[in-house]
Amino acid sequence: MVLPEGDLVRAPGAVAVVVTAGMLAAACASAVGTVKPATSPPGSPADLVDQALNKVADLQQQADRKPLKNREGDRIPVNEDRVTLGLYVALSNRQSWPVLRQALTQAINAGDGTTLSEFTSGTPEARNFITGGELLAVDCVDKLFPTDLTAFRQLADRAKKVAPRFGSLVWLWLACTYWPAKTTRQPRALAADGAPPIVVIGTTRDSRTPYEWAQSLAGQLKSGVLLSYDGDGHTAYLLNNEKCIRQPVENYLINGQPPKAGTRCKQTLPKLGSKGRV
């Protein structure tokens, strides 16, 4: 991926800060579904989001003081770090949100972090970060990171200010400070002169690759065409069956015809019942 220009992404480790900030957008998008209509205060949707996010923040603080129960096989207590990592993994995939709501219900109402813990150990991505797998190996040489612990602490402090609830996730990339293979390449603009139309898909509330990156890349490419998905989750094409995304992408891949410039697809929201709400 070609990152947008600017001081934010050129600074070592800054991409990690952007990702943690993106998690907040994903949390906001899913938060309303964690509040009972009967107990919701009057006000705008933003009021409901604030209430739900505050409940999550309280849960993180509670787990820091006293880890949640874990009935999973490893029986590892679910502390604040494990709660936050579980949220990180679950929020990236919108299909996981119904299970996430159930997990938060169990954690907040019964002090049971079992389902949240399963997010941290039951997915390849979570295991990659915990064990230092191939995903971490790619990240460490794909971006610039601080070269010493003091600089990394400064990065973590910055992330905490940008995203108080998820800033601690930056520590997942601490290993990159000591990674034996280093990169000196800076992000740069790419024009791809002479290329046929190149379709760039961006999701407006993508927690991993922010929509602004897609806008920047499409703008850099001489033949870039931005296809926007006004929705949630990491990536758009393979994770849902929205015709307004799948049809133009498949038409481009099969027939070589890009969508019209400015094409925008709005996510079809499922109807939320009361199950799994807090």
Side-chain angles (χ1 to χ4, degrees):
M1 171 174 287
V2 180
L3 302 182
E5 294 183 274
D7 293 338
L8 179 60
V9 296
R10 292 185 182 278
V15 170
V17 176
V18 174
V19 170
T20 56
M23 295 311 300
L24 181 58
C28 289
S30 66
V32 173
T34 68
V35 182
K36 282 183 180 179
T39 60
S40 298
S44 67
D47 295 329
L48 303 183
V49 169
D50 287 343
Q51 183 188 15
L53 291 179
N54 287 337
K55 285 191 175 187
V56 171
D58 291 343
L59 176 65
Q60 290 172 302
Q61 295 173 7
Q62 174 191 338
D64 183 44
R65 296 189 299 268
K66 181 181 178 181
L68 307 177
K69 296 177 292 187
N70 182 8
R71 295 176 285 102
E72 199 179 26
D74 59 19
R75 303 288 179 178
I76 298 175
V78 184
N79 59 13
E80 180 185 9
D81 290 341
R82 208 165 172 99
V83 168
T84 304
L85 180 58
L87 290 168
Y88 171 76
V89 173
L91 285 171
S92 299
N93 185 348
R94 187 159 54 95
Q95 281 69 27
S96 298
W97 289 6
V99 179
L100 175 59
R101 292 187 188 103
Q102 295 174 14
L104 288 173
T105 298
Q106 295 169 359
I108 293 172
N109 293 345
D112 189 339
T114 303
T115 306
L116 268 178
S117 178
E118 288 173 352
F119 281 119
T120 71
S121 58
T123 66
E125 182 174 25
R127 289 194 294 270
N128 261 312
F129 276 115
I130 293 171
T131 63
E134 63 272 13
L135 180 61
L136 190 60
V138 170
D139 274 350
C140 288
V141 297
D142 191 43
K143 310 169 183 68
L144 292 172
F145 283 90
T147 56
D148 59 69
L149 184 57
T150 299
F152 200 97
R153 284 198 178 105
Q154 293 172 350
L155 171 68
D157 291 341
R158 182 182 176 191
K160 198 70 174 176
K161 291 179 181 178
V162 172
R165 297 176 180 86
F166 295 98
S168 61
L169 288 170
V170 165
W171 289 102
L172 292 172
W173 287 275
L174 176 61
C176 294
T177 292
Y178 304 99
W179 207 258
K182 303 293 183 183
T183 182
T184 58
R185 296 178 60 185
Q186 291 277 358
R188 60 183 179 85
L190 179 65
D193 290 316
I198 300 173
V199 175
V200 180
I201 308 172
T203 301
T204 56
R205 293 181 294 280
D206 190 319
S207 59
R208 304 291 183 83
T209 48
Y211 181 65
E212 291 77 9
W213 289 2
Q215 290 177 304
S216 177
L217 177 55
Q220 292 171 21
L221 296 167
K222 291 291 186 182
S223 57
V225 179
L226 178 62
L227 174 58
S228 300
Y229 180 56
D230 185 0
D232 308 298
H234 177 48
T235 73
Y237 175 67
L238 292 178
L239 288 183
N240 62 65
N241 293 315
E242 303 275 10
K243 289 184 179 179
C244 59
I245 281 290
R246 297 192 71 88
Q247 286 183 349
V249 170
E250 289 166 4
N251 188 43
Y252 169 70
L253 293 175
I254 296 171
N255 302 314
Q257 298 176 353
K260 293 181 180 180
T263 298
R264 195 175 186 90
C265 171
K266 189 170 181 62
Q267 172 181 307
T268 302
L269 294 174
K271 292 182 179 180
L272 293 177
S274 59
K275 183 178 180 181
R277 294 190 173 188
V278 178

